[in-house]
Amino acid sequence: MIISMEAGASQEQIQAVIGRIQELGYKAHPIIGVERTVIGVVGHLKRPQKELFEVLPGVENVVYISKPFKLVSKELKREPTVIDVEGVKVGGKELVIIAGPCSVESEEQIVTIAKAVRAAGAKMLRGGAYKPRTSPFSFQGLKREGLEMLAAAKRETGLKIVTEVLAIADIDLVCEYADVIQIGARNCQNFPLLEAVGRTSKPVLYKRGMSTTVEEWLQATDYILDGGNGDVILCERGIRTFETATRNTLDVNAVAVVKEASHLPIFVDPSHATGHNHLVTAAARAGVAAGADGLIIEVHHQPEKAWSDGHQSLKPDQFAECIRQVRRVAEAMGRTMG
Ligand code: PEP
Ligand code: MN
């Protein structure tokens, strides 16, 4: 339910409405806009009664949210959410590029790649220290040591760090190193993990599950927002279909659907979406043309030796060419690239 306060509503009136919401056992999510404050009302109890709030001083109107997802919905918040990642604005006019290897392998590897992607225009460095691998016998990531290597790459290049967290127990440690914590496709509906990152104040890059509908994904996003963390960057990374020519199928439609339904920024991951380095640039261009706010791309200076996802990683010169092409699409879309 959404309670819209009158443009001139006082702080006392807003607080009184929030108090009443809590008294009735619901949770209040106030959103302070330029013109007016709106308050989202959520809870597991039965649907709140509009009439109880319509009569309160300062309340202009009360409406139910028609969609199954609530806090992520544009019905609640019309203006796009812009997330400040230590000075890099995500979800604004600028198209933001995150790039780096699938996994952190050594300090030399991550620093070499970080320098290359920064030179080509990336603002953030990706690299997994905790890897969700299909087999327990595949490389699982360097964990704490990998995080230390990411910190070294940040010191060298100034790039912001994006790295995945797999388990609740690792959140505190990962948050010490990450500027953005990634929740991967396999954890898209790991609700306790979503709740736990919702209690942090780190921006979250939250990937769609490979078999998750957009509606399920956006409802799951509410777990993060309901915990108090509104800084979520959604990421379409390809879904499972009957097609075998590519690793996954990039659901470009999802970008447009999310843009229409939600105020949150959305990125595209053309690397996991296609699974082949020679297809990444085309998928990247398509993502930006569909309205994505940014891209996350796997880059490796020696892809043939990479410990994970080498086949889909661009070499630094291929990445630079990819960004040159993406830049032209971004400009056509009225976006800037710093
Ligand atoms: C990754 O980013 O390397 C990764 C494992 O991605 P996804 O969760 O999309 O498979
Ligand atoms: Mn990968």
Side-chain angles (χ1 to χ4, degrees):
M1 194 173 78
I2 304 167
I3 302 177
S4 298
M5 301 300 294
E6 288 164 359
S10 68
Q11 268 314 310
E12 290 71 39
Q13 289 173 332
I14 294 169
Q15 283 313 320
V17 173
I18 293 174
R20 186 77 179 116
I21 293 166
Q22 291 166 345
E23 197 176 277
L24 290 165
Y26 298 95
K27 200 154 155 187
H29 284 276
I31 290 160
I32 299 146
V34 232
E35 287 256 308
R36 66 189 66 234
T37 295
V38 301
I39 306 168
V41 183
V42 290
H44 326 278
L45 306 170
K46 66 178 176 34
R47 191 157 135 143
Q49 266 181 287
K50 269 165 76 168
E51 297 71 25
L52 294 174
F53 300 97
E54 280 167 345
V55 295
L56 299 178
V59 170
E60 188 167 78
N61 68 62
V62 184
V63 292
Y64 292 114
I65 302 176
S66 63
K67 299 280 192 322
F69 43 87
K70 309 294 179 192
L71 303 176
V72 305
S73 161
K74 249 194 192 161
E75 290 178 64
L76 179 62
K77 181 172 181 279
R78 291 223 62 80
E79 311 83 50
T81 291
V82 179
I83 301 169
D84 190 333
V85 181
E86 286 202 359
V88 177
K89 298 269 197 318
V90 172
K93 194 160 189 245
E94 185 181 343
L95 185 91
V96 175
I97 308 293
I98 305 170
C102 181
S103 302
V104 180
E105 299 167 10
S106 68
E107 185 169 321
E108 195 204 347
Q109 174 245 20
I110 194 71
V111 170
T112 303
I113 297 170
K115 286 179 178 164
V117 300
R118 188 188 59 176
K123 291 290 166 65
M124 302 194 212
L125 177 68
R126 63 149 291 147
Y130 293 84
K131 294 304 302 176
R133 302 309 298 279
T134 302
S135 164
F137 310 119
S138 302
F139 173 59
Q140 301 289 311
L142 296 177
K143 310 211 163 72
R144 183 189 287 267
E145 243 187 310
L147 295 172
E148 284 293 341
M149 293 167 188
L150 285 165
K154 183 178 180 176
R155 280 195 299 275
E156 288 270 339
T157 61
L159 292 173
K160 314 300 170 214
I161 301 300
V162 183
T163 196
E164 181 162 356
V165 66
L166 288 180
I168 293 175
D170 302 322
I171 291 178
D172 288 346
L173 180 66
V174 173
C175 281
E176 278 178 42
Y177 294 86
D179 298 301
V180 176
I181 48 180
Q182 176 175 322
I183 297 289
R186 288 154 191 83
N187 276 318
C188 182
Q189 289 181 306
N190 182 341
F191 303 120
L193 182 64
L194 299 177
E195 283 175 337
V197 299
R199 291 190 290 269
T200 74
S201 53
K202 280 286 167 186
V204 181
L205 180 84
Y206 174 42
K207 291 190 169 192
R208 178 184 182 184
M210 56 193 85
S211 304
T212 313
T213 66
V214 172
E215 200 172 273
E216 289 165 343
W217 183 27
L218 292 178
Q219 287 180 83
T221 312
D222 270 342
Y223 276 93
I224 308 177
L225 270 59
D226 193 39
N229 187 352
D231 291 343
V232 178
I233 306 163
L234 298 164
C235 179
E236 161 61 39
R237 47 77 74 203
I239 53 172
R240 279 262 164 107
T241 68
F242 56 83
E243 183 54 73
T244 54
T246 48
R247 181 178 180 183
N248 290 289
T249 298
L250 174 60
D251 184 5
V252 180
N253 293 347
V255 178
V257 172
V258 165
K259 277 282 155 206
E260 211 169 79
S262 177
H263 52 86
L264 293 175
I266 178 162
F267 275 40
V268 160
D269 174 344
S271 308
H272 293 87
T274 59
H276 298 281
N277 57 9
H278 52 97
L279 301 175
V280 167
T281 298
R285 292 193 309 255
V288 175
D293 297 292
L295 298 168
I296 176 165
I297 301 179
E298 287 186 338
V299 177
H300 201 293
H301 62 311
Q302 293 171 317
E304 62 291 345
K305 292 190 186 159
W307 295 0
S308 60
D309 285 349
H311 46 278
Q312 68 191 33
S313 298
L314 298 180
K315 288 186 185 161
D317 60 328
Q318 294 170 327
F319 175 66
E321 175 56 26
C322 171
I323 296 305
R324 271 192 288 278
Q325 295 187 25
V326 160
R327 192 180 288 274
R328 290 164 61 195
V329 181
E331 278 162 11
M333 293 297 295
R335 306 196 79 126
T336 57
M337 279 177 79

